[in-house]
Amino acid sequence: MTQSVVLQVGQCGNQIGCCFWDLALREHAAVNQKGIYDEAISSFFRNVDTRVVGDGGNISKGKICSLKARAVLIDMEEGVVNEILQGPLRDVFDSKQLITDISGSGNNWAVGHKVFGSLYREQILEKLRKSAEHCDCLQCFFIIHSMGGGTGSGLGTFLLKSLFDIISKIDLMVNSGKLGTTVKPRSLVTSSTGSFKKRHKKPFDAMNNIVANLLLNLTSSARFEGSLNMDLNEISMNLVPFPQLHYLVSSLTPLYTLADVNVPPRRLDQMFSDAFSKDHQLIQANPKHSLYLACALMVRGNVQISDLRRNIERLKPSLQFVSWNQEGWKTSLCSVPPVGHSHSLLALANNTCVKPTFVELRERFMRLYKKKAHLHHYLQVEGMEESCFTEAVSSLSALIQEYNQLDATKSMPVQDLPRLRIAM
């Protein structure tokens, strides 16, 4: 088994991270009821003997003593981190793995990047080094952050529109009074009940928990046994044919049934169909109407390889793949389902449907940039120059052009290449 280190940055990153650790603990508690520190739980947690002075003694086997998250918490405004340290998860985080300031980045990317980046670079590297040294086989770093604001920064509001839509639809289902849409008492996604009953529900908990569930499904194959495990490195290896086109569209199913709504459970085949519908995408996009470069299906629960193959063959005619990668599927099967469900499916698609998001971003930016609006807020920060903006627009335009070139091949006929034959 391998280990991963989670880096939580900014208010959004730390709030999503808090949801992730809550759900991860509940998931492992459901599987590991004897309280034994095993390889699965070691992927995200250290087992520490708190009686040892200093960092504590790591215990690699036996009973769980005190779990510490393999996490580094960073925020240039200390409020959210302090709230976490006063909440029910306070004992999960190592107090020596925190970096906070008091002033905040003022919702200014330049301050977060140029000022605090330079100021805290060495401290961040040192804490990451310590986290890595506690791993026997380091798999990767997960960086959780918003893409808008100061400490987080960038595309975030566009990605949040998808999550707002999902939660709005859940509210509509509850308020409609339709049969079966009753509130679930112990939902893994939006319910605040469960292991921490005193936790107060916040406006963004529902959205943060959906993202946290995505991370749990993404890492399930690296944490639990399965007939077809997928290493995280295999995702980028198989889904990113060109280095610049690495923006993956994710969909999660069951999605609405994971929330506080009791709707009839989805059949397995219906879940595969859901994964390719626009209503289950975590950004506003319709991959069926665009071009696939590659697609990964990460399944959890009592599902057979034959079920995977059958559904891929069923869905193939309705999905358009690039002519040179008609077999661009990557699959994994993890035997442990999410808590409260018999099976789940996370689909990761490298698809040109992300292009409109980048086009809209460029248009909104250019409307402001042509008027030089808000530019002074950034240029007054030392190290920030106007060339940073022109280079960013140039890079974004090059990315859009690459997607345009791919979309232009949609009407090209697919060549039926001969299969490799081995002489016996």
Side-chain angles (χ1 to χ4, degrees), residues 46 48-58 68 94-96 130 134:
R46 295 164 51 215
V48 175
D49 185 350
T50 55
R51 297 170 298 179
V52 178
V53 180
D55 286 339
N58 282 353
K68 292 295 181 184
D94 187 342
S95 60
K96 295 180 180 179
K130 286 188 176 180
H134 285 302

Side-chain angles (χ1 to χ4, degrees), residues 35 37 47-51 57 59 61-67:
Y37 184 72
N47 190 22
V48 175
D49 185 350
T50 55
R51 297 170 298 179
I59 303 169
K61 293 181 180 179
K63 282 278 187 181
I64 293 173
C65 292
S66 178
L67 290 179

Side-chain angles (χ1 to χ4, degrees), residues 289-309:
H289 291 170
S290 300
L291 194 64
Y292 281 87
L293 281 75
C295 184
L297 300 176
M298 308 182 75
V299 185
R300 299 182 63 181
N302 185 21
V303 181
Q304 306 302 316
I305 294 177
S306 58
D307 295 320
L308 262 174
R309 290 174 178 164

